[in-house]
Amino acid sequence: MLSIRMTRVGSKKKPYFRVVLSEARSGLQGDVVENLGTYNPRSKPAQVSLNKERIQHWLGHGAKPSDSVRTLLSKHLTRDLSAVAETPTAQ
């Protein structure tokens, strides 16, 4: 199963994240299928650059966003895409 998550690429005490698509079972710094955007929380306001079409594509093909990516999507993308990202989990 594929997951959309953030991977840290910044230096010590200067976080910078890439939003990536990767296999859910791979490690945090493991193989990346596709780079979907960036997130810089240190700038004021935080800079978010996301490829909306590719995120929509992968969500439509069953990729599951992590909790932090789901929050990022709901804050920075349109309502229709965030509704797709917030699918309820049945457990």
Side-chain angles (χ1 to χ4, degrees):
M1 175 170 46
L2 295 173
S3 68
I4 301 173
R5 59 185 175 192
M6 291 194 288
T7 182
R8 183 180 168 136
V9 291
S11 61
K12 183 177 180 181
K13 296 188 180 182
K14 295 180 183 174
Y16 186 80
F17 298 94
R18 286 188 186 143
V19 179
V20 297
L21 178 76
S22 63
E23 183 65 33
R25 294 174 291 180
S26 68
L28 291 178
Q29 301 295 330
D31 294 334
V32 172
V33 175
E34 186 174 350
N35 188 1
L36 300 173
T38 59
Y39 171 58
N40 184 4
R42 289 183 46 92
S43 64
K44 299 296 179 196
Q47 293 178 336
V48 178
S49 171
L50 297 172
N51 188 340
K52 297 175 185 178
E53 290 114 19
R54 294 305 293 168
I55 291 174
Q56 179 69 39
H57 169 78
W58 286 113
L59 289 174
H61 280 85
K64 301 289 184 193
S66 68
D67 292 337
S68 56
V69 171
R70 189 177 304 118
T71 302
L72 192 68
L73 292 175
S74 66
K75 287 184 180 179
H76 295 284
L77 294 182
T78 60
R79 292 282 181 202
D80 58 331
L81 183 56
S82 64
V84 172
E86 295 181 13
T87 57
T89 56
Q91 291 187 13

